[in-house]
Amino acid sequence: MPIDTNLARAPANAAHWERRARLLAAEINAGWWLSSWLPTALVIGIAGTFALLWARWQAVELVPFAWGAIGVALVLAGVAAWFTSRPRFESVASARVLLEERLGLHARLSSAAAGVGDWPGRRIDLDGRWPVRIRATRPALLLTLVGAMLAAAMAIPVADAGAFRRRAIEAPADAEIVSQWIDELQREKAIDERSAGAVNERIEEILERPRDAWYEHATLEAAGTLREQTAAELAALARNLAAAEQAAADLAAAPSRAASAEKHRDSQALAAAARQLALGGMRPAGDAGEKLGQEAAEALADLSPEQLRELAAALRANRSKLKAALAKAANFDLDALGPESDCEACQPCGVCKECREGKPCKKGACAACKKAGRGGITRGPGEAAMKAGVEEDLGATRRELVTAPTDVARSAAGELLDVVDAEHAVDESTYVGPQAGGSIAPTADGGGPSRVDNLLPREQDAVRRFFK
Amino acid sequence: MNPPALLPLDDAQARHAAEAIGRLRRVLQGVLFGQHDLIDLVIVGVLARGHVLLEGLPGLGKTELVKGLARALDLKHKRVQFTPDLLPGDITGNPVLEEVDGRRSFTFQPGPVFANILLADEINRASPKTQSALLEAMQERSVTVMGQTHALPNPFLVLATQNPIELEGTYPLPEAQLDRFLFKIDVPAASVETLERIVLEREIGIPPEVPCVIDAHALTALQDAVRRVYMPPPVANFIARLVAATAPTNPLAAGVRYGASPRAALALSAAARARGLCQGRINASYEDVRDVALPVLRHRLVLDYGARLEGLTPDGIVARLLDAVPAHDKPLPTSLKAAKV
């Protein structure tokens, strides 16, 4: 038979004990929430550590966002933990059971809560008799671990991925330099588009290789070769422009000597310079290119003095553009282009034949302008008597290997002295400028290149495959 | 229609009842020396309107306790020595052919069961047929003879004893009958101090003086007060979980073939209330349940053959269950540790 519980007595101490029960329930529920949240927090801590490291590696600006994401994740995990642990939450009534059992109250709290009997007095000593004790070690360890991981993620030195990427994509220096030259030359319209395109294709060919192979010896060698060849071609272009300009100016200045040997020589010089301009790796752009392209090399001598002057002016302008463009570009030795024809140091003497005929004065020329080779005629390929060594044309430079004994004191007279009645057989029609790697140069009696010193990477690969 | 709700006891009523019970306890302690727990359980059984099965060696004072209880309560008591040739009518009573006014008719002659306290000595020596004669009396508190039902006096209490030795020719009580006993109490042997006191204060053939401290009317009032002791829902839940834990399917009850019945839960509840009143409380508590769990449950658990071979006893299993089943039924999170009660 049920007990009538409608006769509840005045709950004098009800508030006190109910507050205790609620406190106990909250403590237990916090424990449940904590045990549900902590594993997730540990996972978030690990993920957050990697996220912070990634953010610091990727971009420092992302770090606050990473912290925000970690915070949001922890909060969301807390909310989820509350929902998942809620079924195990302790009710106040259940907490009351724990409390009354621990305090030895003989179910008095439950009875009083049901309205049977009075609530126990408030003077019951709770010190050391609280039903549960917190085991703080494990939660503290986990939280400390999470905090330490996040702190370590902020403290560990991390390289900037942007800088790494920038370093990683930096092309070989020589390729960059050549690209800069071509850009400047195109901007100044100093060379024609085909020449620039050919060089750019070679740059692209080098850069098409995997990035981690850009700094391999073969790639660097190819880039270096490209730079040397391009520099040599530009120097040759400058020389040929100067030679053609000189020859055109000479022809324009002496129309009356049409049949003279001197005119013939100037005509030959103009034709040779024009041929070399047409065949060179770098061809002039603008008026100079057009004017040279309109006529055959041999027909240039038949131009009127006025046309020859225009041609000379166009060639001079092109050379000036060439020099101006390369002056803007870094890492180019401007001396390789030769002296300016309108050199300030060169002053007409007024007494020599050239001054009287209105030609550039050679006597008053500066030392640079008096250098051998001015005019485009060098000793060139071919055999010459009394050579002490073998000359080797490396494109931009020349190298002479000494084959004669170097110790003169120990040398016999016959080894050093040789008298040969011969003539230096110079083949002036042979192209002596820089040769494009792998390209076939025109052959002549003086001998063209029958081998190449440097191979492009794809050519090297092909050779490797062949020999493999 | 629900029965009218009982008024709960107030603290003064509970204290008053506890004082009366205390007087009874003191008197019985003067009858049976050194058996305080046994006396308490018997009093609890009486207050809970339950029947008690006492098991112990001869000479431990079982009969003396029952006699003392009857005198202290001023109740009519009878003693029946159960033997194999005892017939059911020898307990319940027999119809006797009598001639009244020249007419012969059967008149019911009440047996020894018509007493307030029936001491069934060595109950396991009677045949099952005779034992079963007690079933109706214990459960219904009435006897039916020749189609006529005769109510037993109120209060009615069966205190049965059985001897754990000399089991030849005995008839172990069936589970159905065992279940009708509220308690099965093991009567322990007396200690040296108790024996010394017995030697000093008792003589053979001279029963101790036992004053009447509670009359039948007061006893009935106390039994009614037990019903008014409040059973808090958490304590009822504890009882339910404890009884459910005796089911063979529960891992904690390994070795149990048949667990306790719902009647065991009712017995636990009644005994816990009675014990609460003995303590002067208005409600039953977890401690009360724990204190009465062993005598309530030990005879209601049937162990399987393997458990008996392993030496498991119902007492051990009940003790294990009491350790494993907490009053607070919810687990605590690992970040918290339950303080030991």
Side-chain angles (χ1 to χ4, degrees), chain A residues 1-5 7 9 27-32 34-35 87-91 93-98 100-108 110-112 114-118 128-136 138-139, chain B residues 2-13 225-235 238 241 273 275 279 281-288 290 325-341:
Chain A
M1 189 176 293
I3 297 285
D4 185 358
T5 57
L7 303 173
R9 301 175 189 181
E27 191 175 337
I28 295 171
N29 296 343
W32 280 120
L34 202 61
S35 56
R88 291 183 290 185
F89 274 8
E90 193 86 358
S91 66
S94 185
R96 211 182 285 130
V97 173
L98 258 183
E100 64 192 3
E101 196 190 16
R102 170 66 179 152
L103 297 177
L105 294 176
H106 297 286
R108 193 71 184 270
S110 297
S111 299
V116 176
D118 291 329
R129 300 172 71 189
W130 194 245
V132 293
R133 290 175 193 153
I134 296 174
R135 284 172 166 164
R138 191 176 165 196
Chain B
N2 292 329
L6 293 172
L7 286 175
L9 291 175
D10 57 30
D11 289 328
Q13 290 170 326
V226 167
R227 295 175 61 205
R228 292 165 60 195
V229 171
Y230 179 61
M231 174 61 68
V235 181
F238 178 48
R241 283 185 289 113
R273 288 173 197 240
R275 190 183 177 281
Q279 305 282 330
R281 283 187 269 105
I282 61 170
N283 62 279
S285 71
Y286 318 103
E287 293 84 353
D288 298 328
R290 289 195 190 98
V325 180
H328 180 257
D329 64 333
K330 286 190 168 183
L332 289 175
T334 53
S335 57
L336 295 175
K337 178 185 179 185
K340 291 198 173 176
V341 179

Side-chain angles (χ1 to χ4, degrees), chain A residues 63-76:
Chain A
V63 172
F65 292 103
W67 276 113
I70 292 169
V72 169
L74 287 174
V75 170
L76 288 178

Side-chain angles (χ1 to χ4, degrees), chain B residues 128-156:
Chain B
K129 186 177 179 183
T130 308
Q131 289 173 359
S132 67
L134 273 176
L135 280 178
E136 184 188 3
M138 292 170 70
Q139 185 67 29
E140 308 296 335
R141 297 177 192 274
S142 62
V143 170
T144 303
V145 177
M146 293 188 69
Q148 280 194 321
T149 300
H150 305 277
L152 296 175
N154 186 31
F156 175 72

Side-chain angles (χ1 to χ4, degrees), chain A residues 27-53:
Chain A
E27 191 175 337
I28 295 171
N29 296 343
W32 280 120
W33 175 83
L34 202 61
S35 56
S36 179
W37 178 72
L38 274 178
T40 318
L42 180 63
V43 173
I44 291 173
I46 294 170
T49 301
F50 285 108
L52 282 175
L53 288 172

